[in-house]
């Protein structure tokens, strides 16, 4: 598209196919002509999705906004396979080379990924908290913000525990699992019942990949609700959150760990309020003035008085405590006696006048 930030793809062919290969957080597309003799040579491009990038197949006449790459089909009417990226954090580059600083993929290269981590524990990258180390794509290629929260939550590991402390313990577990006295079935059972951090870095993303049609389809909100239900920690009400030293928010439960940033207090994700019954929108709500509201509160606090009680109050004078906080006033001069029925009518009319 005209506003796309990536380079122009120099590939033109009337009939071509697209194949894809994923590695961690990168995806390599290969465009190849169906007739290699008559068409142009194959073209590779490697994409990163950022936070909002995705592919969408739609009618060519109804392109979505922010469709920065478009591959048209030969159908009638044609459709378009679009790389859509509203926030433009994604990118692509020409060629078939993966980024050199990225390690083995946690999904497709699990054994190489595991060995790469355990043999490099003396690297300064593991001096950091485990939640920050999990975002280092040199060692954890494919792990992002929501995955690190889910992995640490399942293992009940504080996010700000030192990474080397957590990972060095895996070497001892590795030796126990390689005990020659254990049968193959016992080794498999031991791994299933006691998965370690590196194993969950493989199995948790696989859960999402195996169910991606149900969990990650942004076109259907019901399916996105299924993804939210799958989450156990990330953005879940009741969980705590802190910002790590790179500014990313980590969700967790319990204590943050000894390397938690100083000066921050964990914030809890508010729980959802219980649904309340809504009033009838068509029923008019009565207007209540402040003065009428005071009268209602007084009436609710004390029951209405009978005529005999009013007479007794007038005879006994004001009760103790009624004049607290009021200024003292001098006694008024004596007035001529007024009949009882006249006094009551004056009091009633005064009350009405106040309203």
């Amino acid at each position: 598209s005209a506003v796309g930030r990536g380079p122009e793809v120099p590939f033109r062919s009337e009939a071509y196919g697209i194949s894809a290969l994923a590695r961690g957080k990168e995806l390599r597309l290969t465009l190849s002509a169906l007739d290699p003799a008559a068409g142009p040579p194959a073209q590779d491009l490697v994409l990163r999705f950022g936070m909002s990038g995705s592919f969408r197949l739609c009618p060519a006449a109804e392109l979505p906004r922010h469709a920065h790459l478009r591959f048209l089909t030969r159908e009638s009417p044609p459709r378009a396979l679009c790389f859509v990226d509203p926030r433009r954090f994604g990118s692509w580059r020409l060629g078939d080379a993966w980024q050199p600083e990225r390690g083995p993929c946690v999904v497709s290269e699990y054994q190489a990924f595991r060995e790469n981590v355990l043999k490099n524990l003396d690297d300064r990258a593991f001096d950091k908290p485990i939640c920050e180390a999990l975002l280092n794509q040199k060692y954890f290629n494919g792990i992002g913000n929501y995955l690190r929260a889910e992995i640490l939550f399942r293992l009940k590991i504080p996010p700000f525990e030192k990474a080397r402390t957590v990972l060095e313990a895996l070497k001892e577990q590795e030796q126990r699992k390689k005990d020659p006295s254990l049968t193959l079935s016992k080794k498999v059972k031991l791994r299933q019942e006691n998965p370690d951090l590196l194993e969950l870095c493989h199995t948790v993303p696989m859960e999402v990949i195996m169910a991606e049609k149900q969990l990650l389809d942004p076109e259907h909100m019901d399916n996105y609700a299924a993804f939210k239900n799958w989450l156990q920690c990330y953005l879940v009400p009741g969980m705590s959150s802190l910002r790590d030293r790179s500014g990313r928010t980590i969700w967790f439960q319990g204590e943050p760990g000894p390397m938690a940033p100083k000066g921050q207090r964990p914030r809890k994700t508010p729980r959802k309020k219980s649904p309340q019954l809504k009033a009838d929108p068509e029923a008019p709500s009565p207007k209540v003035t402040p003065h009428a509201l005071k009268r209602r509160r007084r009436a609710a606090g004390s029951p209405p008085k009978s005529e005999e009680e009013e007479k007794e109050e007038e005879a006994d004078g004001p009760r103790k405590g009624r004049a607290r906080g009021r200024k003292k006033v001098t006694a008024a001069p004596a007035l001529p006696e007024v009949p009882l029925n006249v006094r009551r009518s004056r009091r009633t009319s005064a009350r009405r006048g106040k309203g």
Side-chain angles (χ1 to χ4, degrees):
S1 70
V3 296
R5 294 182 179 177
E8 181 71 23
V9 181
F11 182 84
R12 297 290 182 274
S13 176
E14 289 298 322
Y16 64 98
I18 304 177
S19 59
L21 180 65
R23 184 175 185 267
K25 287 192 171 186
E26 293 184 297
L27 181 75
R28 182 166 66 205
L29 297 184
T30 300
L31 314 179
S32 53
L34 297 184
D35 184 2
Q43 174 68 59
D44 293 299
L45 56 153
V46 178
L47 292 98
R48 292 177 58 190
F49 288 82
M51 293 181 67
S52 61
S54 65
F55 274 96
R56 198 175 306 173
L57 186 63
C58 58
E62 301 174 10
L63 291 176
R65 293 184 63 190
H66 311 290
H68 300 307
L69 276 177
R70 306 149 188 180
F71 304 96
L72 301 178
T73 69
R74 299 184 70 186
E75 300 169 297
S76 182
R79 289 187 294 172
L81 178 66
C82 304
F83 175 62
V84 183
D85 185 19
R87 301 182 71 177
R88 300 190 190 184
F89 288 168
S91 62
W92 66 88
R93 63 185 184 278
L94 302 179
D96 61 352
W98 306 111
Q99 281 187 316
E101 65 271 19
R102 288 183 178 270
C105 175
V106 297
V107 173
S108 60
E109 303 167 299
Y110 171 65
Q111 287 301 329
F113 148 70
R114 187 179 185 93
E115 292 171 6
N116 186 44
V117 172
L118 294 179
K119 75 179 181 182
N120 290 296
L121 289 181
D122 56 346
D123 194 321
R124 293 176 59 186
F126 299 106
D127 292 336
K128 297 182 178 182
I130 185 61
C131 67
E132 296 180 13
L134 283 171
L135 295 183
N136 188 334
Q137 301 300 296
K138 180 180 179 181
Y139 295 107
F140 297 91
N141 185 12
I143 300 300
N145 204 18
Y146 85 91
L147 286 173
R148 69 170 177 172
E150 297 299 313
I151 292 166
L152 295 175
F153 172 77
R154 294 191 188 190
L155 294 172
K156 296 181 172 56
I157 296 176
F160 291 94
E161 185 65 64
K162 192 173 183 178
R164 187 176 291 106
T165 303
V166 175
L167 294 168
E168 280 183 342
L170 301 187
K171 289 187 175 181
E172 299 177 7
Q173 296 181 23
E174 194 91 351
Q175 295 300 323
R176 288 198 300 268
K177 291 176 182 178
K178 290 181 178 180
D179 187 351
S181 63
L182 294 176
T183 63
L184 180 60
S185 60
K186 286 185 179 180
K187 289 180 180 180
V188 172
K189 185 178 180 181
L190 188 63
R191 288 183 181 276
Q192 290 176 346
E193 292 178 351
N194 301 288
D196 61 38
L197 177 74
L198 299 180
E199 287 171 344
L200 285 188
C201 286
H202 171 72
T203 57
V204 174
M206 284 298 296
E207 290 180 16
V208 183
I209 292 171
M210 298 303 291
E212 63 180 338
K213 289 185 179 180
Q214 294 181 354
L215 295 181
L216 293 177
D217 187 354
E219 292 293 308
H220 301 89
M221 293 309 294
D222 292 342
N223 294 347
Y224 186 71
F227 173 67
K228 291 181 70 176
N229 292 335
W230 175 84
L231 294 171
Q232 299 180 30
C233 179
Y234 181 79
L235 290 176
V236 172
M239 296 295 164
S240 302
S241 65
L242 278 173
R243 286 188 178 275
D244 62 21
R245 287 170 181 80
S246 61
R248 304 291 298 276
T249 301
I250 174 70
W251 275 262
F252 60 94
Q253 187 179 51
E255 294 298 321
M259 298 183 72
K262 294 181 180 179
Q264 284 193 58
R265 287 187 177 182
R267 295 188 304 171
K268 280 213 168 188
T269 308
R271 296 184 181 274
K272 293 181 180 178
K273 295 182 179 179
S274 56
Q276 298 179 350
L277 293 177
K278 294 183 179 180
D280 182 5
E282 296 182 359
S285 57
K287 293 183 179 180
V288 182
T289 61
H291 188 73
L293 189 59
K294 285 184 181 179
R295 286 212 308 268
R296 287 186 184 179
R297 288 174 182 165
R298 288 176 187 167
S302 58
K305 299 174 182 176
S306 63
E307 290 184 6
E308 294 180 359
E309 289 174 335
E310 287 184 5
K311 289 179 183 177
E312 289 176 1
E313 281 192 9
E314 288 171 3
D316 296 339
R319 292 182 181 177
K320 291 182 179 180
R322 285 289 182 90
R324 185 181 298 168
R326 297 179 184 174
K327 294 181 180 179
K328 292 184 179 181
V329 294
T330 55
L335 297 174
E337 184 68 18
V338 182
L340 181 62
N341 58 351
V342 176
R343 278 186 289 171
R344 188 169 294 139
S345 64
R346 284 181 181 176
R347 187 166 59 248
T348 306
S349 62
R351 286 177 182 169
R352 290 174 181 166
K354 285 183 181 178

